[in-house]
């Protein structure tokens, strides 16, 4: 027997589970397999930044994610290269003023993967997604008709075949799929500082009360390490060691790690049980290509980085959002396969930027001595923390821009200054609006469909949108913002924030990025809107469309 699925996803981490949900939102079934028998209680990635929270907001999961986590508090550190300042904590309040102009979400939310993954799995299954743990992919082949994967039930040993239109490698930093494809990577590879993750049980609730969402750095005569809190009776202690100084994982026996935990807690009498240990070395590398035929890399399989800025799982989930609507559009016949090439064009520069930034600030100080003289080490200057999250713009065939693109196709284009102003390729600006007494953000209009935003004088655009959507077979919602329009502009900021006149229009993609904007009302608007959407869906080379009977 051979199963048939549109998309096969391998790896049920944050990227794989999110992609499954995002495809489901688009009406695309997928099969998600994970060789682990169950979700892990290890915290791993701990903080979701505001862009990732926006992704979950669009999936209708805002309340669930907030309930599973907690507000962040004292976990940010100064990004100064001065060693004397590395231990000073940065108050997140300093970021709030700028962030309030950018997003309705908080800067970050404490929600470790040990809580996030069970939540995403449960919701995915509730919404009809096929998620199978204890299932491993043994091999795969691809051709013009699709991907054929040989999978195994790890409990019974039985095997079966799956035929998918597309295969997603969300199988982590040591991706077997990436290795099978022979995709080269760029970056520093394994970094010199290693860490021993020691997972333990202890009745330490009284010690961590009020700090449950924090990472706690401890330095005393017994050594140096960092506590990550999982629960009132569980946690992780991360011990840093350097093989370049002759240290090894064998130096850290269970008994020694227990002694180090007790010394760090300052409670030698406390009962501590070490339940697991994992030797981990941070890796910095980015695959040269995120697509090989019908196979796409997402998350750590595409871009692996140290966790020092907390960007790993966040970048992974944001990449999943970028890919999901494009796969759906192609599978539904709304777009040509050329649209899928824009995943590489848009997300590869972001992956490189994030990987580079993961080794700036405090991380640069951590590795400076160990990597001095390494010819590969060309650390970048640290950017303000918001840049890797939202301070860039895309350049691809899925964007129709009014200005020329940079000469280098793989270069990241940063917004200078960091102001979201409706520029094509940037994330749509956040603007507070109101309808029938209910206040919400422009981001709340994004639910997996294309969205056309116009001013009060853009009714002709709105009428044209319905007919164009029907002609192209896509989901497109149109809203007018302003006096006497569908939506009331609470800040009177529509023209300034989105950079258009009352007669203009802004087209937003399903992933929340501005695809196109215009300041004028073209006659007839339907013809122009059809041309724009055909370009974005890479249908421009298709036979010409008849515009008869269109507004």
């Amino acid at each position: 027997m051979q199963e048939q699925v549109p998309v096969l996803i391998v790896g049920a981490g944050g990227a794989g589970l999110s992609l499954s949900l995002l495809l489901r939102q688009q009406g695309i079934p997928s099969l998600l397999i994970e060789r682990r028998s169950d979700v892990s209680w290890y915290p791993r990635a701990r903080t979701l930044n505001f862009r990732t929270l926006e992704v979950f907001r669009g999936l209708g999961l805002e309340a669930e994610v907030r309930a599973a986590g907690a507000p962040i508090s004292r976990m940010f550190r100064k990004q100064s290269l001065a060693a004397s300042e590395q231990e000073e904590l940065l108050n997140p309040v300093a970021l709030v003023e700028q962030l309030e102009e950018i997003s309705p979400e908080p800067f970050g939310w404490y929600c470790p993967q040990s809580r996030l993954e069970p939540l995403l799995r449960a919701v995915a299954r509730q919404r009809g997604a096929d998620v199978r743990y204890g299932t491993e992919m043994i091999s795969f082949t691809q051709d013009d008709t699709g991907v054929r994967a040989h999978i195994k039930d790890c409990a019974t040993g039985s095997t079966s075949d799956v035929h998918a239109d597309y295969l997603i490698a969300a199988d982590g930093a040591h991706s077997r799929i990436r290795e099978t494809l022979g995709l080269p990577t760029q970056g520093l590879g394994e970094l010199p500082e290693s860490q021993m993750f020691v997972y333990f049980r202890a009745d330490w609730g009284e010690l961590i009360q009020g700090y449950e969402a924090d990472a706690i750095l401890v330095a005393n005569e017994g050594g140096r390490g960092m506590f990550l809190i999982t629960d009132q009776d569980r946690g992780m202690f991360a011990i840093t060691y350097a093989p370049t100084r002759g240290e090894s994982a064998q130096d850290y026996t269970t008994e020694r790690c227990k002694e180090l935990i007790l010394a760090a807690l300052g409670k030698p009498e406390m009962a501590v049980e070490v339940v697991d240990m994992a030797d981990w070395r941070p890796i910095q590398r980015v695959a040269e290509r995120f697509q090989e035929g019908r196979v796409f890399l997402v998350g750590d399989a595409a871009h692996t980085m140290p966790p020092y800025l907390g960007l790993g799982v966040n970048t992974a989930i944001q990449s999943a959002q970028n890919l999901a609507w494009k796969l759906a559009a192609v599978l539904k016949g709304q777009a040509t396969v050329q649209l899928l090439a824009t995943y590489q064009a848009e997300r590869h520069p972001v992956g490189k930027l994030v990987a580079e930034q993961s080794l700036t600030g405090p991380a640069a100080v951590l590795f400076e001595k160990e990597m001095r003289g390494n010819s590969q080490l060309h650390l970048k200057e640290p950017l303000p923390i918001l840049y890797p999250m939202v301070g860039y713009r895309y350049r691809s065939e899925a964007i129709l821009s009014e200005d020329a693109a940079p000469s280098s196709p793989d270069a990241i284009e940063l917004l200078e200054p960091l102001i979201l102003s409706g520029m094509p390729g940037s994330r749509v600006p956040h603007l507070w609006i109101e309808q029938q007494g209910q206040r919400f953000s422009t981001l709340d209009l994004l639910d997996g469909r294309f969205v056309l935003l116009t001013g009060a004088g853009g009714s002709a655009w709105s009428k044209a949108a319905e007919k164009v959507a029907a002609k192209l077979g896509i989901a497109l919602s149109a809203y007018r913002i302003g006096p006497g329009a569908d939506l009331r502009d609470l800040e009177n900021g529509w023209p300034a924030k989105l950079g258009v006149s009352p007669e203009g229009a802004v087209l937003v993609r399903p992933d929340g990025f501005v695809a196109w904007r215009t300041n004028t009302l073209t006659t007839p608007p339907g013809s122009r809107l059809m041309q724009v959407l055909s370009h974005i869906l890479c249908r421009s080379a298709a036979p010409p469309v008849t515009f008869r009977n269109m507004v």
Side-chain angles (χ1 to χ4, degrees):
M1 294 291 293
Q2 180 172 269
E3 292 184 78
Q4 301 278 341
V5 293
V7 182
L8 172 62
I9 306 170
V10 178
L17 286 163
S18 297
L19 181 60
S20 175
L21 278 164
L22 289 158
L23 287 170
R24 195 68 194 172
Q25 184 185 51
Q26 296 286 342
I28 300 297
S30 66
L31 169 59
L32 171 58
I33 62 173
E34 168 59 57
R35 64 181 177 180
R36 290 176 295 161
S37 61
D38 202 351
V39 292
S40 173
W41 66 270
Y42 300 157
R44 294 189 290 169
R46 306 171 62 251
T47 306
L48 305 177
N49 65 40
F50 69 91
R51 260 302 289 143
T52 301
L53 294 172
E54 291 171 3
V55 175
F56 292 138
R57 188 184 186 104
L59 286 168
L61 293 178
E62 181 185 17
E64 288 90 339
V65 171
R66 285 179 179 263
I72 56 175
S73 54
R74 292 158 287 270
M75 60 187 307
F76 295 107
R77 299 190 178 279
K78 281 189 176 179
Q79 291 194 63
S80 168
L81 294 180
S84 61
E85 296 182 355
Q86 293 312 305
E87 305 305 321
E88 296 183 26
L89 296 177
L90 172 64
N91 186 348
V93 174
L95 295 168
V96 169
E97 185 175 347
Q98 184 179 7
L99 185 62
E100 285 179 346
E101 296 293 317
I102 292 177
S103 177
E105 293 290 343
F107 179 82
W109 198 256
Y110 170 74
C111 188
Q113 283 184 257
S114 54
R115 300 185 193 178
L116 180 65
E117 288 182 12
L119 164 64
L120 297 182
R121 179 181 66 174
V123 174
R125 286 175 170 170
Q126 288 168 7
R127 297 183 181 182
D130 190 350
V131 182
R132 304 179 195 173
Y133 282 69
T135 305
E136 182 178 9
M137 187 175 75
I138 305 301
S139 62
F140 71 91
T141 59
Q142 63 170 321
D143 56 28
D144 291 341
T145 67
V147 179
R148 288 174 176 80
H150 194 54
I151 65 174
K152 181 179 74 173
D153 184 312
C154 298
T156 65
S158 61
T159 62
S160 60
D161 292 322
V162 175
H163 183 274
D165 293 285
Y166 295 99
L167 170 65
I168 310 300
D171 53 342
H174 302 285
S175 171
R176 291 173 58 192
I177 297 175
R178 185 188 64 224
E179 292 176 359
T180 299
L181 293 170
L183 290 174
T185 60
Q186 302 168 332
L188 300 177
E190 290 191 348
L191 300 173
E193 293 275 358
S194 294
Q195 289 186 316
M196 180 64 69
F197 292 160
V198 187
Y199 300 94
F200 66 91
R201 294 183 187 274
D203 185 13
W204 68 332
E206 185 177 339
L207 291 177
I208 61 175
Q209 187 174 2
Y211 296 88
E212 291 84 355
D214 296 336
I216 303 172
L217 183 66
V218 177
N220 56 27
E221 293 180 357
R224 180 186 176 95
M226 184 171 66
F227 284 109
L228 297 181
I229 300 164
T230 303
D231 251 312
Q232 291 291 312
D233 63 346
R234 293 186 298 185
M236 184 188 86
F237 189 56
I239 305 166
T240 300
Y241 69 94
T244 54
R245 295 195 296 265
E247 300 171 342
S248 71
Q250 287 69 36
D251 297 334
Y252 294 90
T253 62
T254 300
E255 192 58 35
R256 184 185 178 193
C257 288
K258 180 178 178 179
E259 292 173 358
L260 290 171
I261 291 171
L262 289 171
L265 290 172
K267 295 283 186 179
E269 73 285 357
M270 182 174 286
V272 170
E273 177 192 3
V274 174
V275 295
D276 200 1
M277 296 169 60
D279 184 26
W280 178 79
R281 176 172 284 192
I283 300 171
Q284 194 246 26
R285 64 185 171 202
V286 180
E288 287 187 4
R289 298 190 302 279
F290 290 178
Q291 177 186 5
E292 185 70 18
R294 291 176 172 268
V295 184
F296 293 85
L297 275 57
V298 178
D300 282 354
H303 38 65
T304 308
M305 66 205 72
Y308 306 114
L309 294 183
L311 295 170
V313 73
N314 289 283
T315 307
I317 292 170
Q318 292 154 35
S319 291
Q321 184 192 38
N322 182 283
L323 181 59
W325 75 269
K326 296 173 181 178
L327 282 170
V330 171
L331 287 165
K332 292 176 182 178
Q334 300 166 348
T336 65
V337 292
Q338 282 75 22
L339 177 63
L340 299 177
T342 67
Y343 174 63
Q344 166 78 14
E346 294 180 354
R347 293 307 295 177
H348 193 263
V350 175
K352 285 175 58 180
L353 171 72
V354 173
E356 290 167 354
Q357 287 297 302
S358 71
L359 286 177
T360 62
V365 174
L366 286 174
F367 293 111
E368 182 181 13
K369 293 180 180 179
E370 299 296 336
M371 303 199 71
R372 188 174 294 155
N374 186 332
S375 60
Q376 298 184 65
L377 183 60
H378 300 289
L379 295 178
K380 304 289 185 178
E381 287 297 315
L383 291 169
I385 188 65
L386 295 180
Y387 266 101
M389 303 174 193
V390 76
Y392 54 85
R393 63 182 298 205
Y394 294 145
R395 294 285 193 168
S396 77
E397 291 299 311
I399 300 292
L400 193 56
S401 184
E402 65 259 26
D403 58 343
S407 56
S408 175
D410 199 41
I412 190 76
E413 185 173 352
L414 300 178
L415 299 174
E416 296 179 2
L418 204 171
I419 298 174
L420 297 176
S421 58
M423 188 179 296
S426 63
R427 206 267 278 131
V428 65
H430 153 59
L431 182 70
W432 288 116
I433 50 181
E434 183 183 88
Q435 186 178 49
Q436 297 179 348
Q438 183 179 1
R439 175 179 178 264
F440 51 93
S441 167
T442 45
L443 299 182
D444 292 318
L445 303 175
L446 306 171
D447 58 0
R449 294 175 286 184
F450 281 94
V451 172
L452 184 70
L453 301 174
T454 72
S459 57
W461 286 115
S462 299
K463 291 177 183 177
E466 184 177 353
K467 295 183 179 180
V468 170
K471 194 83 172 179
L472 292 174
I474 66 171
L476 170 62
S477 300
Y479 301 94
R480 291 186 303 128
I481 301 176
D486 309 318
L487 304 172
R488 180 185 168 208
D489 179 0
L490 295 179
E491 303 170 2
N492 296 317
W494 156 260
K497 274 215 167 185
L498 281 92
V500 293
S501 67
E503 294 77 30
V506 176
L507 180 66
V508 187
R509 306 188 320 188
D511 59 355
F513 280 75
V514 176
W516 165 80
R517 71 177 176 183
T518 181
N519 247 325
T520 59
L521 180 58
T522 308
T523 304
S527 296
R528 181 57 178 149
L529 191 55
M530 177 68 80
Q531 292 168 350
V532 167
L533 279 161
S534 294
H535 178 94
I536 291 161
L537 295 169
C538 297
R539 293 170 59 157
S540 298
V545 179
T546 300
F547 297 113
R548 187 180 304 160
N549 297 326
M550 299 186 67
V551 176

